[in-house]
Amino acid sequence: MQESSVQTFIIILYLFTLGVLAVYGVHRSALLWSYLRHRRERAEPRTRFAEADLPNVTVQLPMFNELLVAERVIDASARIDYPRDRFEIQVLDDSTDATASIARARCEALRRDGLNIRYIRRASREGYKAGALEHGSRVAQGEFVLVFDADFVPPKSSVRDLIDYFTDPAVGMVQARWGHLNREHSLLTRCQAMLLDGHFVIEHAARNRTGRFFNFNGTAGMWRTAAIEDAGGWQHDTITEDMDLSYRAQLAGWAFVYAPQVSAPAELPGDMSSFKSQQYRWAKGSVQTARKLLRRIFESPVPAKVKREAFFHLTNNVAYVFLLLLAALQLPNMLIRRRMEDPTLLLLDVPMFWATCGSVAAFYIVAHRDSYGGTWQAVKRLPVMMALGIGLAVNNGRAAIEGLFGGDVEFVRTPKSGATDERGASGPIAYRGRHPWHNALELVFGLYCTATLVVALATQSWASVPFVSLFSVGFLYVGVTSLLEAHGSRRQGDAEVDAQEPSTHSSPKPQSMLS
């Protein structure tokens, strides 16, 4: 009797977990459908500024220990085409390594050439990137600020491409699409590009074109300074200050515009540890923002469709926790199914699996086709990309749990190496993160899912084989790659690794939890 109760509990928990993931899959399909309905629509400026009426613009370049890319982003920003008497560049440098001397020297050289560029260094790093942007905004000369992270190469036309949208006084922010400097560098960067293209091509377009909230991505976007101030300014009680400010500004009534025809190329993380560091920050920060703002969003007078989309957008990374639970339950579910006399009820998992996986496949194939043309390359990369997404479940699931329940706000910058498709990492060293102890869980899950796959093959559970294979490959790919990178870093010597290590800190103002 007790054994039967345990089996029933496992089956119910398994189906519930799969059902939650299927709901997020259905939401992804709804986003895709919205995009397809509005794909030919293009946001155009209401009118255009006359040359004599162009407003003052400040380009802000926040950076911290960007030794290999600081000069590149400064020089690219200096080449931006805009009237020099209405153009300012702020290099907001919190670096603790040689980046400071490189950035300062480049700013001084450009200033001697007549460019209005300021090198700004704070007395402390309080607030990290949000604190740097807030500090720079206090002395910015521009009515509008365009932010670029250090891993971007700002296009020459970027200011002119975006500024005319602000002829509409209701517009508070305009976001450009991210391009990729090193998309073809490796299998990992190709998969990352595919993931990001789905976000920018479909998610942003679908949300913006249907009147839902979407977010400034922290870089390659231009803000009206009045909108920042009206929304309460840059705040640093989450590690995704961009998403936090975006929702507060839209709740305050400011309109956002997505301009996908404007592309700003950026460097993708070239190694697994850097990629996971970036994903961890995004996952944790989005859940922190949900904890901070969801109640306020639900209580606001915005339409129900905006509230629904905000819920799915801000809680999406919680799905990684359910993905881990699903991985753990697959083996006992499979064994219980074999012992049941009437297992037809469990056939519910097949359509729910397809609701999840099918939506992912369609989503990213369409994004790739509309970005680059053709579908075959997307189809070839899709299994690896899906496996990579599953393999991130330990990393992102942990981030979601910490974002939901933790009070600590830890910021870890994403290491950059200056890589492009034509060349690898620049310089004699490349910043790289460590291999945290919890990455061993990825290997444990990988071996466990491999054992589940063996059982599936032995018991001829053919419907489960494709899905279990993705879990096995994904966890092993992420876990083994992280292990090999950590082993390579240790061989370089602890002193060198410590010099390259991105700093981690705790915020002096921990965020309160929303019930």
Side-chain angles (χ1 to χ4, degrees), residues 410-430:
E410 179 186 53
F411 188 94
V412 183
R413 61 172 281 284
T414 304
K416 293 97 177 176
S417 63
T420 65
D421 280 336
E422 289 73 33
R423 65 180 185 182
S426 300
I429 63 171

Side-chain angles (χ1 to χ4, degrees), residues 470-488:
L470 286 175
F471 278 76
S472 176
V473 171
F475 284 121
L476 288 176
Y477 172 47
V478 173
V480 171
T481 303
S482 300
L483 183 64
L484 292 175
E485 289 177 1
H487 180 67

Side-chain angles (χ1 to χ4, degrees), residues 62-382:
M63 58 181 66
F64 172 68
N65 291 357
E66 309 292 1
L67 180 65
L68 303 176
V69 295
E71 193 167 354
R72 181 180 70 182
V73 69
I74 293 172
D75 285 345
S77 300
R79 291 192 292 268
I80 289 176
D81 174 29
Y82 201 72
R84 285 305 186 239
D85 60 334
R86 281 159 279 178
F87 182 68
E88 175 194 31
I89 297 175
Q90 291 182 338
V91 177
L92 308 174
D93 185 20
D94 286 343
S95 298
T96 57
D97 66 359
T99 304
S101 58
I102 292 173
R104 187 190 299 273
R106 195 68 198 122
C107 289
E108 290 175 354
L110 290 168
R111 192 161 50 248
R112 286 194 297 270
D113 291 339
L115 185 67
N116 183 11
I117 184 169
R118 300 182 62 186
Y119 177 82
I120 299 176
R121 187 171 180 82
R122 298 185 293 159
S124 73
R125 291 194 63 230
E126 181 179 358
Y128 314 109
K129 180 181 175 181
L133 292 170
E134 179 185 29
H135 182 79
S137 296
R138 295 193 196 117
V139 294
Q141 299 170 4
E143 304 165 55
F144 303 92
V145 292
L146 175 58
V147 181
F148 283 109
D149 284 347
D151 49 344
F152 277 70
V153 178
K156 186 176 181 180
S157 62
S158 53
V159 174
R160 289 186 180 272
D161 288 339
L162 299 176
I163 192 64
D164 288 326
Y165 288 97
F166 293 97
T167 55
D168 182 348
V171 171
M173 193 281 300
V174 182
Q175 176 68 51
R177 177 172 55 86
W178 290 9
H180 315 298
L181 289 170
N182 57 332
R183 175 172 171 259
E184 298 300 329
H185 181 68
S186 67
L187 179 62
L188 177 61
T189 56
R190 287 192 289 271
C191 289
Q192 289 180 65
M194 201 169 179
L195 289 166
L196 284 170
D197 289 339
H199 172 69
F200 281 95
V201 174
I202 295 180
E203 289 185 43
H204 267 3
R207 290 179 179 129
N208 189 221
R209 302 299 184 261
T210 58
R212 293 165 170 85
F213 288 176
F214 79 103
N215 64 292
F216 166 58
N217 291 102
T219 177
M222 183 180 287
W223 280 89
R224 188 189 299 270
T225 56
I228 296 175
E229 295 168 3
D230 187 43
W234 295 104
Q235 298 176 7
H236 39 86
D237 52 356
T238 76
I239 56 175
T240 48
E241 70 292 323
D242 44 13
M243 182 176 285
D244 172 29
L245 178 60
S246 296
Y247 272 87
R248 287 187 282 113
Q250 289 169 103
L251 284 171
W254 290 98
F256 279 24
V257 175
Y258 177 50
Q261 73 278 9
V262 183
S263 176
E267 176 188 335
L268 296 162
D271 61 88
M272 185 65 73
S273 60
S274 300
F275 174 54
K276 287 163 65 177
S277 171
Q278 182 188 71
Q279 290 291 311
Y280 172 88
R281 186 174 74 251
W282 291 350
K284 182 174 179 177
S286 67
V287 176
Q288 287 176 329
T289 304
R291 199 176 75 177
K292 176 180 178 178
L293 294 179
L294 265 185
R295 175 181 290 178
R296 180 174 166 185
I297 293 169
F298 288 153
E299 293 175 351
S300 72
V302 298
K305 67 177 184 179
V306 174
K307 297 177 182 179
R308 285 195 301 270
E309 186 58 37
F311 172 81
F312 280 107
H313 185 196
L314 295 177
T315 65
N316 184 58
N317 284 291
V318 176
Y320 282 104
V321 178
F322 289 94
L323 198 61
L324 286 175
L325 188 57
L326 182 67
L329 290 171
Q330 282 179 335
L331 181 56
N333 171 72
M334 192 182 306
L335 296 175
I336 292 171
R337 179 187 303 184
R338 280 184 52 80
R339 298 174 60 180
M340 291 182 64
E341 295 180 1
D342 184 14
T344 53
L345 181 63
L346 292 176
L347 294 179
L348 285 171
D349 62 0
V350 175
M352 284 194 286
F353 255 124
W354 282 112
T356 302
C357 295
S359 68
V360 171
F363 191 88
Y364 289 104
I365 288 174
V366 170
H368 184 278
R369 184 190 64 196
D370 286 6
S371 298
Y372 310 104
T375 59
W376 178 236
Q377 289 298 323
V379 171
K380 288 196 301 183
R381 295 172 184 175
L382 187 65

Side-chain angles (χ1 to χ4, degrees), residues 1-66:
M1 184 68 176
Q2 185 176 3
E3 182 181 359
S4 176
S5 298
V6 171
Q7 291 178 354
T8 301
F9 173 75
I10 290 175
I11 292 170
I12 292 173
L13 182 60
Y14 176 82
L15 291 175
F16 173 76
T17 301
L18 199 52
V20 170
L21 294 173
V23 168
Y24 279 95
V26 170
H27 168 256
R28 187 183 293 107
S29 298
L31 274 180
L32 176 59
W33 174 244
S34 295
Y35 166 74
L36 292 173
R37 287 175 53 213
H38 298 275
R39 70 197 303 181
R40 304 200 184 281
E41 296 179 13
R42 178 171 167 173
E44 296 288 351
R46 171 184 289 188
T47 184
R48 298 191 179 276
F49 286 106
E51 188 72 14
D53 297 330
L54 285 170
N56 291 340
V57 173
T58 296
V59 173
Q60 294 183 316
L61 308 177
M63 58 181 66
F64 172 68
N65 291 357
E66 309 292 1

